[in-house]
Amino acid sequence: MLNFLIVDNIIKEGLKEDAPFGDITTDSIISPTSICKVNLIAKEDGIICGFPVFKRVFELLGNVKVEAFKKDGDTVFKGEKIALVTGNTRNVLIGERIALNLMQRMSGIATITKAYADKIVSTNAKVVDTRKITPLYRNLDKYSVLCGGGANHRFSLSDSVLIKDNHIDAAGGIVNA
């Protein structure tokens, strides 16, 4: 379900915002040939989500390998080693914040979705997302809901007809949108 044309754009814009002219600190103290190994450790219990996006950050930067020990949708526990990142130290340092922030966002959504899905498991109900989310993150967020055991509602206004009860107030504004 992840569309990597969209994912790549999010990553590239994030990198452009965070390091528009490179990483002047890293470039001044880390050799261009330096190699590092970094353990990715879970800081909380939850549902992991976003490994393909996490890996893609480093694929775009180059010379970094990510070995995942879990897959999206798996339960992780605080302190558990979930991946090993090996490669060019400069690229690891430039990409770490973008990669971690996206994975943390996605894991948070998957974790809260799983908590709600577990509460209704004995019913015929299901947890369903909405398209009313942070602009540009829809693809990531909807994927995260699936990883947490939820279901996707329509992806965009183009997918299906939905007529709801909106009211117009005295000033002509829509209420209950």
Side-chain angles (χ1 to χ4, degrees):
M1 156 129 171
L2 285 172
N3 179 332
F4 277 90
L5 292 174
I6 294 169
V7 171
D8 285 1
N9 184 57
I10 291 168
I11 293 168
K12 288 175 184 176
E13 289 300 314
L15 291 168
K16 206 176 350 177
E17 179 180 73
D18 199 37
F21 306 106
D23 179 346
I24 60 173
T25 304
T26 296
D27 291 349
S28 66
I29 61 174
I30 303 293
S31 164
T33 59
S34 174
I35 302 296
C36 67
K37 283 188 177 188
V38 179
N39 290 315
L40 186 61
I41 308 293
K43 288 195 166 192
E44 306 181 10
D45 296 352
I47 303 300
I48 198 70
C49 184
F51 269 123
V53 176
F54 184 89
K55 288 179 179 183
R56 186 67 179 148
V57 170
F58 298 109
E59 288 171 2
L60 292 173
L61 288 167
N63 300 315
V64 178
K65 178 185 171 204
V66 177
E67 180 184 0
F69 305 127
K70 293 286 190 169
K71 65 182 185 320
D72 284 358
D74 284 352
T75 299
V76 297
F77 300 98
K78 181 179 180 176
E80 186 176 4
K81 183 176 169 181
I82 56 177
L84 177 66
V85 179
T86 307
N88 180 276
T89 306
R90 286 183 174 190
N91 288 352
V92 169
L93 292 171
I94 285 175
E96 71 168 328
R97 186 49 39 210
I98 303 301
L100 288 170
N101 283 355
L102 292 172
M103 182 180 255
Q104 288 168 341
R105 175 190 178 92
M106 295 174 75
S107 295
I109 292 168
T111 299
I112 196 72
T113 301
K114 175 81 167 127
Y116 285 115
D118 284 351
K119 288 184 184 292
I120 62 169
V121 73
S122 63
T123 72
N124 288 326
K126 59 184 173 179
V127 175
V128 179
D129 61 19
T130 176
R131 54 166 260 289
K132 299 173 194 171
I133 59 169
T134 305
L136 305 178
Y137 284 85
R138 185 171 302 172
N139 188 252
L140 302 179
D141 292 355
K142 286 187 165 286
Y143 174 81
S144 303
V145 167
L146 292 176
C147 286
N152 293 150
H153 190 244
R154 65 186 184 154
F155 196 82
S156 71
L157 292 172
S158 303
D159 291 346
S160 63
V161 174
L162 175 66
I163 297 175
K164 59 184 181 170
D165 187 18
N166 286 333
H167 301 282
I168 307 298
D169 67 16
I174 296 177
V175 181
N176 295 331

